[in-house]
């Protein structure tokens, strides 16, 4: 059954996709490991689906190469790449049974009937539908039909499965259930998968690694936790969730590679960004971070933090202290979403442990240095 096959997963090298004069994918390079559940995440029109389709051979590459399982497949048609696509729509034949739908690709490859039936039943077992093998697609729910579409891809024992927003047609409750099913299935079969989505929660909760895309390029790549908690790019920080931004001035270096900054709320220590190299009185930003002048006294920076990074109580050394009046509060069960007027036209959005905050109430707290970010304006 499906699983890791070739010596490599998928390697894309400077791949470019054009539609007329429009560049949809701009010289993208990435490497997906064998057996990895890899996500392409970004807003509509960022090029993620075009990249996926080019990997699968459904869109021609204007430049660059695609290798799957250690073999250059750039010139091969889609049906010879070993990279089936699972689409948003289920694309099931209504007049065929589930087993016949799953075995359709195997039949096209000339697999004998008995072997085809056995492989189809095994694929259906993996998605929990073996007992419905002789049912028709119309007898299934949307979630079950999507499982059949996935089983059809897995039955051919592909090098990689390409998933183009496969859960977008399902309701919210079913989407959550199917996320768990897909993660379970991947853990069992350990097939290589590239999954396209614009849903941040979907990517953060399922992926082993995520490539964030914008304007045809990969902005940043890392684990969900790395991208959410320690983003290297401002676009990533904002796309993955709410952020509070404060204009900041760099005052100078601090012990441990941190930087002391000043904001309208007060001073704080900020860890050096990932990839930053501290040299004397300034830091040189490297890697994917844009370059900036870290000379003490400059004010062209933004200090950022997530709403859930806020804590109530006195601020420890190096933390950013905040204080203000509650403008609005929403009870969310174990926490509250609080909109705070911090004075001077500054408005903060905080997620705090349920504390019964009400409009007009004064609150004070802090954000620890390890939860603060610094980006160029």
């Amino acid at each position: 059954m499906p699983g890791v096959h070739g010596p490599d997963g998928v390697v894309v090298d400077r791949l470019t996709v054009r539609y007329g004069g429009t560049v949809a994918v701009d010289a993208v390079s990435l490497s997906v490991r064998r057996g990895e559940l890899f996500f392409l995440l970004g807003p509509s029109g960022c090029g993620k689906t075009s990249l996926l389709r080019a990997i699968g051979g459904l869109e021609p590459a204007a430049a660059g190469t695609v290798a799957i399982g250690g073999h250059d497949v750039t010139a091969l048609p889609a049906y010879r790449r070993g990279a089936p696509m699972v689409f948003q729509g289920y694309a099931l034949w209504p007049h065929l049974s589930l087993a016949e739908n799953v075995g359709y690709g195997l039949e096209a490859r000339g697999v004998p009937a008995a072997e085809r039936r056995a492989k189809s039943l095994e694929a259906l077992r993996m998605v929990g539908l073996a007992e419905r093998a002789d049912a028709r697609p119309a007898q299934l729910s949307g979630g079950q039909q999507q499982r059949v579409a996935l089983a059809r891809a897995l039955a051919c024992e592909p090098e990689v499965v390409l998933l183009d927003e496969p859960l977008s047609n399902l309701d919210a409750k079913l989407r959550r259930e199917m996320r768990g099913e897909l993660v379970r299935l991947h853990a069992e079969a350990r097939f290589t998968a590239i999954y396209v989505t614009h849903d941040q929660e979907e990517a953060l909760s399922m992926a082993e690694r995520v490539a964030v895309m914008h304007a045809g390029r990969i902005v940043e790549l890392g684990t969900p936790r790395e991208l959410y908690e320690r983003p290297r790019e401002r676009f990533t920080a904002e796309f993955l969730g709410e952020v509070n931004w404060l204009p900041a001035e760099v005052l100078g270096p601090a012990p441990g590679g941190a930087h002391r900054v000043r904001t309208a709320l007060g001073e704080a220590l900020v860890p050096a960004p990932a990839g930053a190299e501290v040299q004397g009185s300034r830091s040189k930003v490297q890697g994917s971070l844009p370059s900036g002048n870290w000379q003490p006294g400059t004010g062209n920076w933004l200090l950022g933090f997530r709403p859930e990074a806020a804590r109530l109580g006195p601020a420890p050394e190096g933390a950013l202290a905040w204080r203000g009046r509650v403008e609005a509060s929403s009870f969310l069960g174990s926490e509250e979403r609080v909109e705070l007027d911090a004075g001077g036209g500054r408005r903060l959005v905080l997620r705090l442990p349920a504390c019964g905050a009400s409009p007009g109430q004064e609150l004070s707290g802090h954000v620890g240095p390890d939860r603060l970010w610094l980006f160029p304006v």
Side-chain angles (χ1 to χ4, degrees), residues 149-166:
L150 181 59
R152 180 176 55 195
L154 295 176
C156 296
E157 300 184 2
E159 288 284 356
V160 58
V161 177
L162 308 177
L163 300 110
D164 184 15
E165 304 200 53

Side-chain angles (χ1 to χ4, degrees), residues 61-200:
T65 61
V66 177
I68 298 177
H71 303 288
D72 188 336
V73 300
T74 312
L76 295 182
Y79 69 89
R80 292 185 57 194
R81 294 198 180 193
M85 182 92 73
V86 178
F87 298 96
Q88 297 175 25
Y90 318 125
L92 302 179
W93 297 103
H95 63 289
L96 299 181
S97 70
L98 304 192
E100 290 168 336
N101 266 283
V102 171
Y104 187 82
L106 297 171
E107 183 178 7
R109 288 166 172 79
V111 176
E115 182 182 351
R116 187 166 70 239
R117 175 74 178 184
K119 287 180 178 291
S120 297
L121 290 177
E122 172 61 13
L124 286 169
R125 181 201 65 77
M126 293 180 67
V127 299
L129 289 172
E131 75 284 356
R132 305 293 302 277
D134 296 319
R136 295 289 190 270
Q139 297 173 274
L140 305 183
S141 67
Q144 290 172 323
Q145 290 186 54
Q146 192 58 283
R147 291 186 195 184
V148 176
L150 181 59
R152 180 176 55 195
L154 295 176
C156 296
E157 300 184 2
E159 288 284 356
V160 58
V161 177
L162 308 177
L163 300 110
D164 184 15
E165 304 200 53
L167 307 184
S168 61
N169 285 342
L170 307 179
D171 62 57
K173 181 177 183 295
L174 192 51
R175 274 202 307 273
R176 287 192 295 271
E177 293 175 358
M178 281 298 296
R179 288 174 193 166
E181 283 296 308
L182 281 170
V183 171
R184 177 199 62 77
L185 181 60
H186 179 262
E188 177 185 341
R190 208 60 200 175
F191 54 90
T192 307
I194 304 178
Y195 190 122
V196 159
T197 186
H198 64 273
D199 187 320
Q200 297 93 328

